[in-house]
DNA sequence: GTCTATATTCTGATAGAC
DNA sequence: GTCTATCAGAATATAGAC
């Protein structure tokens, strides 16, 4: 098996798998369907991945790494704690939209990962959520909001993650509108939209 | 095949299927596993359901019908528009917890339904969400909140539905705490928890 | 309403040639 | 790195006896 996890070819294959897993679900997508979409035969697939589950892992991992990178970049240009909260919300929505396949797969196909894969990805997710923890904590210290920080973080991330169920970026509502409304809700400010 | 959809026996079988679909996912649950858990042989299962997908449909439909009934009951004893919003949030959480299997399945296994089944269930969901539409509209008319009503409804329902990912009712946070915090967020009031 | 037995198709994965 | 060919098992669903 090819072990080079950063090859351009592998990234292409992972993106193709993400689309199929997103559209049809992991279990319903066969290795033959994956191979077809990749333009190779099913036997050749196992030159790139040791088994089907490893493809699922690669899809979810790529989505999470990308999300962390976008959050890091967006956060860098934010000053106040409110700006930081808005930056995180906007970054979260950006990755949900730009990298939608991988994130839908992460949400829906978690159960099909082996325990070992889950443990590795939980570490990544915790690292990502630490940014949210820190920024919400800052908002509390700045007196912008009171109450249970963990609960507020979970409700906010839940509302954002659920957008994959209904949000279509070609409508009237822009991702920035959405991020603003979410921040307004969390900070108990009047609706901005 | 037995066509009596309201028989007690069928309800038992549907509840058993809900548990397995919730724990292992629809595609990973075989008809043999279902039959085992039901105490019958796999061939006998097709006396009760015409195919596997019909079991999935029955699981999700039962969860939705139950949710609608609970919402109707809880709403009946609410007076002000704020009380009604809180009632809907509490009812939503109650069904998510009491009927967790069916709702987890509804969230995760939607893709495995036939288009026909999806269309039928979308009607049920729309009927359910109409309660939310009406109550949020009332809150706007009462001047409790301004802005995009559809967006507020979706963010609220998203935050609530996402609770299946993290909420465990045996912790310190009660379902009522959760409902209160959500209402406070939607109505932009100070945190109640 | 449940059983046994089985038809039929599909599944993930492997071996070895090129 | 991709191919062909195939293994071994598992999947849903059916048929007919009881």
């Amino acid at each position: 098996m090819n072990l080079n996890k950063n090859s351009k070819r592998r990234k292409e294959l992972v993106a193709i798998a993400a689309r199929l897993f997103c559209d049809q679900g992991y279990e319903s997508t066969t290795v033959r369907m994956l191979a077809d979409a990749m333009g190779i035969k099913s036997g050749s697939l196992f030159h790139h991945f040791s088994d089907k589950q490893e493809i699922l892992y690669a899809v979810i991992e790529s989505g999470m790494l990308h999300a962390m990178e976008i959050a890091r970049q967006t956060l860098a240009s934010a000053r106040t704690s409110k700006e930081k909260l808005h930056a995180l919300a906007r970054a979260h929505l950006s990755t949900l939209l730009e990298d939608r396949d991988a994130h839908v797969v992460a949400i829906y196909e978690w159960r099909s990962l082996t325990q070992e894969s889950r443990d590795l990805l939980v570490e990544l997710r915790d690292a990502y959520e630490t940014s949210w923890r820190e920024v919400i904590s800052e908002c509390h210290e700045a007196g912008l909001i009171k109450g249970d920080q963990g609960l507020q973080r979970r409700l906010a991330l839940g509302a954002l993650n659920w957008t994959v169920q209904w949000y279509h970026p070609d409508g009237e509502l822009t991702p920035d509108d959405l991020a603003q409304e979410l921040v307004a809700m969390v900070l108990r400010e009047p609706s901005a939209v």
Side-chain angles (χ1 to χ4, degrees), chain A:
Chain A
M1 188 194 57
N2 184 354
L3 292 174
N4 182 3
K5 293 209 170 185
N6 291 320
S7 76
K8 190 183 166 194
R9 178 69 173 142
R10 187 179 162 111
K11 278 183 181 155
E12 286 171 6
L13 300 183
V14 169
I16 290 168
R19 201 186 64 242
L20 294 188
F21 289 164
C22 174
D23 289 347
Q24 335 205 26
Y26 171 75
E27 297 287 351
S28 302
T29 305
T30 67
V31 293
R32 283 168 179 80
M33 296 162 79
L34 289 167
D36 271 0
M38 292 167 180
I40 55 179
K41 299 295 175 183
S42 66
S44 310
L45 192 55
F46 293 93
H47 174 76
H48 300 279
F49 305 94
S50 64
D51 57 24
K52 192 186 171 192
Q53 190 266 172
E54 190 182 287
I55 311 178
L56 177 61
Y57 177 85
V59 166
I60 300 179
E61 185 192 38
S62 79
M64 287 191 173
L65 290 176
H66 190 227
M68 291 172 78
E69 177 57 19
I70 299 286
R72 200 189 54 74
Q73 283 175 19
T74 315
L75 214 46
S77 60
R79 294 285 163 264
T80 67
S81 42
K82 181 179 170 181
E83 276 172 17
K84 288 181 187 171
L85 186 60
H86 187 249
L88 278 185
R90 218 176 34 209
H92 198 91
L93 284 167
S94 294
T95 46
L96 276 186
L97 293 172
E98 289 166 22
D99 224 9
R100 186 171 183 276
D101 293 345
H103 290 289
V104 167
V105 171
I107 291 172
Y108 285 109
E109 310 297 350
W110 192 259
R111 265 182 312 209
S112 294
L113 293 164
T114 62
Q115 187 59 50
E116 191 186 354
S117 295
R118 272 202 285 264
D119 291 344
L120 289 168
L121 292 171
V122 161
E123 281 185 46
L124 280 185
R125 185 165 62 189
D126 283 351
Y128 174 73
E129 290 193 0
T130 292
S131 299
W132 280 84
R133 268 179 249 268
E134 288 171 356
V135 169
I136 287 180
S137 177
E138 269 192 50
C139 290
H140 278 250
E141 282 163 19
L144 294 176
I145 178 180
K146 296 192 188 308
D148 185 328
Q149 298 186 20
L151 177 52
Q152 286 156 1
R153 184 186 77 250
R154 289 184 172 112
L155 290 176
L157 281 170
L160 285 177
N161 286 332
W162 196 257
T163 58
V164 302
Q165 300 268 3
W166 58 269
Y167 182 64
H168 302 287
D170 41 293
E172 287 184 10
L173 194 73
T174 68
D176 211 65
D177 288 339
L178 231 168
Q180 282 203 336
E181 181 72 2
L182 184 99
V183 169
M185 261 189 164
V186 172
L187 299 185
R188 322 300 161 110
E189 294 174 346
S191 183
V193 186

